[in-house]
Amino acid sequence: MAKAFPFTAIVGQDEMKTALLVAAVDPSIGGVLVFGDRGTGKSTAIRALAALMPKIPMVEGCPFNCDPDKKPAGLCARCESGTEKLKSRASPIPVVDLPLGATEDRVIGALDLERALHDGEKAFEAGLLARAHRGFLYIDEVNLLEDHIVDSLLDVAASGENVVEREGLSVRHPARFVLVGSGNPEEGELRPQLLDRFGMSVEVKTPQDVAARVEIVRQRDAFERDPEGFTKHQQRKEGRVRRQLQKARESLDSIEVADEVLEAAATLCMSLGTDGLRGELTLVRTARAQAALAGRDVATLDDMKALAPSVLRHRLRRDPLDESGSTARIDKALSALFD
């Protein structure tokens, strides 16, 4: 298996790296959408994060990556019906690629109707959504995804469960994952229903600083010439961030959110005219995850402000009378309300 470029060796793109780490700490945030120029490290960062993640317990032999510590309600039918104690193993958090040309059966899974009719056995071939449970589902060129696949994703993202029905037969299994999409906005827009399912949206641009570009090329060239040596050189930094992630995930539920953060989140969303309450909820969740990453017990207003552009830029309505972009509008509102 080819080695992933180390996450800690990625030069620049700080907003993208922070968003990915925050989403890794709290999967309920809803994932990350990364839009920007080609060749700016979007897919590199996502694969690098996967290699950085700590291992998690999984039921041995389960095709759905069930958590052995979960109550029966959170298990698949196979693990729930078992009479013996579930055996577990520590496994890497799954990162699954959803290719653009994937069929619906490959994505959601397929029932073997022939075996069901002849043998009376409900045989199910797990799809990409099953493999991504408790991990990451990565879609490159997400804005070019076919509509029927988008519909399937929306159903599962809303319920956390995948249901496959064919000819009167039905199979359901848990499917909760961090959705990570990347793409180039020049190649087409994302459907609003899917856009709303992403917790954060970040923009990446080609660096315009000579020193940064030189450092990026130098790092990439060194990695390609000696992947083993380069990765070993970054081992200590990678271990530090891995421990930071592990600690943040473990402490997340104990992080308090100050009342001023709740009020500020509501005030900011009202000022910007966002629809619904998903913006406020995501602002609070990202602030809590940011505080957990920083090793603090309380999420502060600064945590919320730091992540507000990532959380809200894809939730704003377009204003035909305002030519400034979403990020500029959010920055302007933050300055007017909190400075």
Side-chain angles (χ1 to χ4, degrees):
M1 185 176 176
K3 281 193 171 293
F5 188 85
F7 190 84
T8 53
I10 296 172
V11 178
Q13 309 298 13
D14 292 332
E15 185 188 18
M16 174 175 65
K17 290 189 291 187
T18 298
L20 289 171
L21 288 171
V22 165
V25 170
D26 185 0
S28 72
I29 286 169
V32 184
L33 178 64
V34 185
F35 263 163
D37 302 333
R38 296 186 192 88
T40 47
K42 299 187 294 292
S43 58
T44 296
I46 293 155
R47 297 182 202 289
L49 177 67
L52 188 67
M53 294 294 290
K55 291 185 176 183
I56 57 173
M58 289 185 186
V59 175
E60 199 169 299
C62 175
F64 307 111
N65 305 331
C66 281
D67 184 348
D69 300 325
K70 277 281 185 186
K71 295 178 180 177
L75 300 173
C76 69
R78 174 182 164 181
C79 293
E80 187 181 354
S81 61
T83 54
E84 298 180 6
K85 185 178 179 182
L86 297 172
K87 295 180 180 180
S88 68
R89 70 184 192 283
S91 301
I93 287 180
V95 177
V96 177
D97 282 293
L98 196 162
L100 284 180
T103 63
E104 188 174 12
D105 280 351
R106 187 180 176 195
V107 175
I108 67 172
L111 283 163
D112 189 333
L113 296 178
E114 189 174 340
R115 283 176 64 185
L117 293 171
H118 288 190
D119 307 330
E121 182 183 347
K122 192 186 287 186
F124 178 69
E125 184 180 341
L128 298 177
L129 298 184
R131 288 173 48 201
H133 179 49
R134 302 178 66 212
F136 292 82
L137 183 66
Y138 173 52
I139 312 169
D140 195 11
E141 307 294 352
V142 63
N143 46 327
L144 303 181
L145 206 59
E146 294 181 31
D147 283 349
H148 67 283
I149 301 295
V150 171
D151 292 336
S152 299
L153 280 176
L154 288 172
D155 291 341
V156 175
S159 65
E161 186 176 58
N162 181 36
V163 181
V164 183
E165 295 178 327
R166 295 285 188 277
E167 305 295 332
L169 294 174
S170 176
V171 170
R172 60 181 64 228
H173 65 82
R176 299 177 187 88
F177 45 79
V178 178
L179 189 60
V180 181
S182 65
N184 187 334
E186 294 176 0
E187 296 172 352
E189 293 189 352
L190 199 62
R191 272 178 56 181
Q193 299 95 322
L194 184 56
L195 185 64
D196 191 49
R197 285 293 162 189
F198 286 96
M200 292 176 283
S201 170
V202 299
E203 298 171 347
V204 293
K205 296 179 180 177
T206 304
Q208 299 303 311
D209 175 60
V210 172
R213 292 171 81 118
V214 168
E215 183 61 19
I216 292 168
V217 173
R218 180 183 290 123
Q219 294 278 67
R220 188 70 206 188
D221 181 57
F223 173 74
E224 289 177 355
R225 284 188 289 112
D226 183 11
E228 291 282 348
F230 188 88
T231 303
K232 190 174 181 180
H233 181 70
Q234 294 290 131
Q235 209 167 35
R236 184 171 294 179
K237 290 181 181 178
E238 293 277 290
R240 193 180 305 130
V241 177
R242 186 177 291 111
R243 289 190 294 274
Q244 182 187 12
L245 265 174
Q246 180 74 47
K247 187 177 178 182
R249 286 164 67 96
E250 291 170 354
S251 66
L252 182 67
D253 291 339
S254 66
I255 305 297
E256 298 291 332
V257 179
D259 287 343
E260 67 165 349
V261 176
L262 300 176
E263 293 172 8
T267 302
L268 178 60
C269 289
M270 287 178 64
S271 171
L272 291 166
T274 60
D275 293 327
L277 295 174
R278 195 167 280 154
E280 284 97 321
L281 287 169
T282 309
L283 281 171
V284 170
R285 287 169 181 160
T286 53
R288 183 183 286 119
Q290 176 84 331
L293 275 170
R296 287 184 274 103
D297 297 327
V298 179
T300 65
L301 182 59
D302 285 340
D303 292 320
M304 189 214 74
K305 288 166 62 180
L307 290 160
S310 299
V311 172
L312 298 177
R313 66 162 56 92
H314 61 302
R315 304 180 194 277
L316 302 191
R317 299 176 190 165
R318 288 180 180 172
D319 186 349
L321 301 178
D322 188 351
E323 294 184 358
S324 61
S326 298
T327 305
R329 287 167 60 192
I330 295 167
D331 288 341
K332 185 178 178 181
L334 287 169
S335 297
L337 293 170
F338 306 119
D339 286 351

